[in-house]
Amino acid sequence: MRKIEHIGIAVKNLKESNNLFEKLLGVSAYKEEEVESEGVKTLFFMNGPNKIELLEATKPDSPIAKFLEKKGEGIHHIAFDVEDILAEIDRLKNEGFIVLNETPKKGADNKLVAFLHPKGTNGVLIELCQEIK
Ligand SMILES: CC[C@H](C(=O)O)C(=O)SCCNC(=O)CCNC(=O)[C@H](O)C(C)(C)COP(=O)(O)OP(=O)(O)OC[C@H]1O[C@@H](n2cnc3c(N)ncnc32)[C@H](O)[C@@H]1OP(=O)(O)O
Ligand SMILES: [Co+2]
């Protein structure tokens, strides 16, 4: 794991949260992207070295919809930048972490992604991100 790639925040309404985070960070979002396979629409902000990903559910069975139902708006996951996601998946599996998708999937913002179950990480959903070069 090289560095935190982004913090994912689940929100009910991307438009409203876009205005809020624009005020909070003093910058505009640099990208809006729908990830059909995850049932999410994402909005990315960069302020200094920090990246914030806002996530709105686009379908009722999306992980974000379930999260909002259960916990309401808030921090959803922490994503880490990795050099080699397959090697990292292997390493983490051997360390006993629960890898939710052993085959990396296409995420937002030009990344290959995989997730670790929060049950194995003190209740924090962890995302692994490898830049697609
Ligand atoms: C890929 C696009 C984008 C990117 O950056 O590129 C994204 O980040 S997309 C983000 C959305 N996609 C995902 O989150 C995929 C991985 N998540 C999952 O597979 C599920 O959400 C899972 C397995 C974490 C939970 O799904 P499940 O159907 O089991 O939901 P439950 O409500 O039954 O939860 C079980 C248990 O886990 C706790 N939980 C759920 N979500 C989170 C979370 N984000 N952080 C911490 N804990 C979480 C939930 O509270 C339940 O705990 P319990 O003690 O049993 O109540
Ligand atoms: Co993410």
Side-chain angles (χ1 to χ4, degrees), residues 89 97-103 105 114-118 125-126:
I89 286 170
F97 292 95
I98 308 156
V99 180
L100 288 162
N101 59 295
E102 296 191 14
T103 306
K105 48 189 173 181
F115 291 88
L116 305 183
H117 201 291
L125 179 62
I126 299 293

Side-chain angles (χ1 to χ4, degrees), residues 5-6 8 35 37-38 40 42 44 53 55 62-64 66-67 70-71 75-77 79 100-101 105-109 111 113 115-119 123-125 127 129:
E5 210 290 321
H6 62 265
V35 183
S37 57
E38 290 297 314
V40 293
T42 64
F44 286 93
E53 174 189 57
L55 301 120
S62 140
I64 295 299
K66 283 190 84 168
F67 181 87
K70 200 157 196 174
K71 297 173 178 268
I75 292 179
H76 179 261
H77 62 273
L100 288 162
N101 59 295
K105 48 189 173 181
K106 179 84 174 58
D109 209 23
K111 300 279 185 308
V113 302
F115 291 88
L116 305 183
H117 201 291
K119 284 264 176 279
V124 180
L125 179 62
E127 180 183 1
C129 295

Side-chain angles (χ1 to χ4, degrees), residues 11-23 43 45 54 56 73:
V11 300
K12 290 188 185 108
N13 181 304
L14 215 47
K15 273 197 178 44
E16 284 169 19
S17 295
N18 176 40
N19 296 335
L20 189 136
F21 275 79
E22 250 189 16
K23 275 187 260 180
L43 197 61
F45 291 85
L54 302 183
E56 180 188 290
E73 293 182 315

Side-chain angles (χ1 to χ4, degrees), residues 74-87:
I75 292 179
H76 179 261
H77 62 273
I78 300 176
F80 287 92
D81 173 55
V82 297
E83 178 83 32
D84 176 342
I85 195 165
L86 289 171

